[in-house]
Amino acid sequence: MTARFMKIAVVYLFIGVCMGLYMGISQQFTFTTVHAHLHLLGWVSMALFGVIYYIYPTASRTRLATIHFWLHNIGVPLMQGTLFIMLWSESYALVSFTITGSVLIVLGALLFMINVFRHANRERSAAS
Ligand code: HEM
Ligand code: HEM
């Protein structure tokens, strides 16, 4: 699970910095929130998930971790992709998809929380 999250995180980092560079040069800030969340949900959160699953390998091998992976990785592109289109087209037509993506991310966070609570004390982590 660590390698999967890490590889996707660095892709979001690359997309995010390209977007930031474009925003800075063009002084075009319409998509600032998409840039911020691609970094914070795509790069930072996924890199942290990867590190935490590395520290707690038994948490990483659970079905909860697999479902968390898919909820987050369907949720982020759905939420940010539809938000990007709405900001670009100045329309709210896709808002239900943005909300759906956000809810998937929240459900993923819930499963992640349960998984960490279940496994953080049970094993000798890689860090201890
Ligand atoms: C080459 C790298 C980057 C460039 C050129 C860049 C550029 C920008 C620009 C131009 C803005 C809009 C500022 C404004 O609205 O006044 C912005 C906002 C933001 N960026 Fe970046 N960024 C970069 C990397 C990052 C990274 C790595 C993160 C997080 C890990 C990040 C997080 C944010 C956040 C949270 C905001 C919103 C700040 C706010 O609402 O005040 N950026 N960035
Ligand atoms: C399902 C997950 C999330 C949802 C639905 C969400 C939603 C939002 C919304 C509605 C805003 C206000 C945007 C605006 O005023 O234009 C916002 C701003 C912000 N959020 Fe989130 N957020 C989520 C996750 C996160 C996470 C995980 C982080 C940090 C690790 C974060 C950091 C921020 C920051 C720094 C801002 C201010 C910059 C901006 O305007 O985009 N968010 N978020």
Side-chain angles (χ1 to χ4, degrees):
M1 200 54 71
T2 290
R4 280 211 251 171
F5 269 121
M6 290 304 194
K7 284 180 186 168
I8 297 174
V10 293
V11 173
Y12 276 107
L13 170 67
F14 184 70
I15 295 170
V17 291
C18 290
M19 205 175 165
L21 186 63
Y22 168 77
M23 283 161 40
I25 292 171
S26 65
Q27 293 294 292
Q28 159 66 261
F29 303 121
T30 312
F31 304 109
T32 296
T33 193
V34 176
H35 160 80
H37 287 87
L38 287 181
H39 271 307
L40 296 168
L41 284 163
W43 159 231
V44 180
S45 295
M46 286 210 233
L48 270 175
F49 296 149
V51 169
I52 292 167
Y53 282 128
Y54 178 80
I55 295 173
Y56 299 114
T58 58
S60 172
R61 288 190 286 268
T62 59
R63 202 169 154 67
L64 278 183
T66 307
I67 301 171
H68 169 220
F69 175 86
W70 285 110
L71 286 173
H72 198 83
N73 278 290
I74 294 169
V76 174
L78 185 62
M79 175 192 177
Q80 294 307 316
T82 54
L83 185 56
F84 181 91
I85 294 169
M86 287 194 298
L87 290 170
W88 175 68
S89 62
E90 295 178 14
S91 138
Y92 281 97
L94 298 177
V95 74
S96 56
F97 292 99
T98 311
I99 294 169
T100 305
S102 307
V103 171
L104 295 183
I105 295 166
V106 171
L107 289 175
L110 174 68
L111 299 191
F112 183 61
M113 182 179 75
I114 294 169
N115 203 2
V116 169
F117 267 80
R118 274 193 189 163
H119 292 95
N121 294 328
R122 278 203 195 157
E123 63 179 298
R124 264 195 67 209
S125 70
S128 64

